[in-house]
Amino acid sequence: MRALTLVADRKIELAERPPPPPPAASEVQIRIRAVALNHIDVWGWRGMAFAKRSYPLVVGAEAAGEIAAVGRDVTSMKVGDPVVMYGAMTCGECRACREGRDNLCEDVKGIMGFHVDGFARDLLNLPARLVIPVPPGVEMRHAACAPIAFSTVQHMLFDNARLEPGESVLVHAGGSGIGTAAIQMAKAIGCTVITTVGDDAKAEKARALGADYVINYKSERFEHLVRKITKKKGVDVVFEHVGADTFNGSLLALKRGGRLVTCGSTSGPTATINLMQLFQQQYRIVGSFGASMRNIRESLAKMAQGLTPVIDTEAPLAEFERGLAKLESRQAFGKIVVTF
Ligand SMILES: [Zn+2]
């Protein structure tokens, strides 16, 4: 079978690997149909000195497929069912896992495609508990964006920032995979959305997606404009994932008592916080990583109701590396998906 493997930093090869054995009693075998790319794939591709992993490594952290075979004890799924898979190899036994909060697993073996072999291969076996059925009517290329992109946003906005209908939210990098999803999800519940983008073409697309205000962060100071738009009050929620370049501006864009939720630091990992500002303004700053099993089901349910991911590019498997380069250079608006 085919497997896309990272053999060295910035070097991915399409390799032949033996297919997996029949699934064990509690496992299912999945035929992969679509893999969606994320920034974690870009980091993995560039190479990270401190990450515990070894080459060759099958890439792909987020995917959808069909059940190809089921283990003896699996009754919840049958051959042919469309499914998505959790993006990390969690233990299934700790308290967090038993409660479906696998992103807090105490004994996680690693992120798929980053620490351990990922999804960019024809077939793989997984414990059935890490596999989530896709509801009818959801296309494979859309479902492939559920386990990481959509679920991360669902977890950030609703579990962590507790975004309510009618509130205002600043979404950074509105053209990114998670940025586009955040705009859609916040608009779907009637929020006012302000977003930042890096060029005018993306500004147009962000408006078309429903953003009420779009700021080109390269030509304007976003924190000033947010205060102007909100009549000096600031927004209820900031959706952060840019990091060093925007973090302090994001705090200045918050309303007193506002919530900042962050899941990334693509521009750098370090920021300095004014503690007086933190407590006087009564900010809540929440770190968010990954998602719960419930968030994946919630994301798929939204897709079934018509809230589908923005797909920038759909390309064959062999284009995976070109997709990473496009993601890295910020030329995409929405998700890049490779199909089998
Ligand atoms: Zn666990």
Side-chain angles (χ1 to χ4, degrees), residues 90-94 97 105-107:
T90 55
C91 81
E93 287 167 12
C94 71
C97 280
C105 175
E106 290 164 20
D107 190 21

Side-chain angles (χ1 to χ4, degrees), residues 49-107:
F50 301 104
K52 280 186 191 166
R53 58 191 201 150
S54 57
Y55 298 147
L57 181 81
V58 179
V59 296
E62 183 177 44
E66 289 161 6
I67 298 292
V70 294
R72 197 181 58 229
D73 297 343
V74 178
T75 54
S76 57
M77 286 170 271
K78 61 180 192 310
V79 172
D81 284 353
V83 291
V84 296
M85 292 70 69
Y86 197 75
M89 200 57 85
T90 55
C91 81
E93 287 167 12
C94 71
R95 184 173 173 178
C97 280
R98 290 198 314 269
E99 293 173 352
R101 296 179 299 125
D102 286 56
N103 53 333
L104 290 168
C105 175
E106 290 164 20
D107 190 21

Side-chain angles (χ1 to χ4, degrees), residues 31-207:
R31 180 170 295 282
I32 301 294
R33 295 295 185 196
V35 176
L37 309 190
N38 289 282
H39 270 282
I40 189 135
D41 299 301
V42 176
W43 296 331
W45 175 56
R46 283 176 186 158
M48 286 191 110
F50 301 104
K52 280 186 191 166
R53 58 191 201 150
S54 57
Y55 298 147
L57 181 81
V58 179
V59 296
E62 183 177 44
E66 289 161 6
I67 298 292
V70 294
R72 197 181 58 229
D73 297 343
V74 178
T75 54
S76 57
M77 286 170 271
K78 61 180 192 310
V79 172
D81 284 353
V83 291
V84 296
M85 292 70 69
Y86 197 75
M89 200 57 85
T90 55
C91 81
E93 287 167 12
C94 71
R95 184 173 173 178
C97 280
R98 290 198 314 269
E99 293 173 352
R101 296 179 299 125
D102 286 56
N103 53 333
L104 290 168
C105 175
E106 290 164 20
D107 190 21
V108 61
K109 304 249 177 337
I111 295 169
M112 304 292 292
F114 188 85
H115 302 104
V116 295
D117 278 341
F119 296 121
R121 46 181 150 164
D122 283 311
L123 293 165
L124 83 157
N125 294 346
L126 272 186
R129 62 174 194 85
L130 293 174
V131 180
I132 302 112
V134 174
V138 179
E139 294 175 33
M140 275 288 150
R141 63 199 185 113
H142 292 153
C145 306
I148 293 184
F150 257 47
S151 302
T152 294
V153 176
Q154 177 75 21
H155 190 51
M156 287 173 77
L157 289 183
F158 302 109
D159 294 345
N160 286 324
R162 306 209 164 266
L163 184 67
E164 295 281 344
E167 288 192 314
S168 54
V169 55
L170 169 64
V171 174
H172 276 298
S176 61
I178 57 170
T180 48
I183 293 171
Q184 290 174 293
M185 287 190 196
K187 284 310 297 177
I189 63 160
C191 290
T192 299
V193 175
I194 306 171
T195 191
T196 62
V197 294
D199 66 57
D200 292 341
K202 284 184 186 171
E204 202 62 43
K205 290 177 182 170
R207 262 184 221 102

Side-chain angles (χ1 to χ4, degrees), residues 3 46 169 175 193-194 197 209 239 271 320 322 330 340:
R46 283 176 186 158
V169 55
V193 175
I194 306 171
V197 294
L209 198 56
F239 179 92
F320 193 97
R322 194 181 297 182
R330 308 193 181 289
F340 281 62

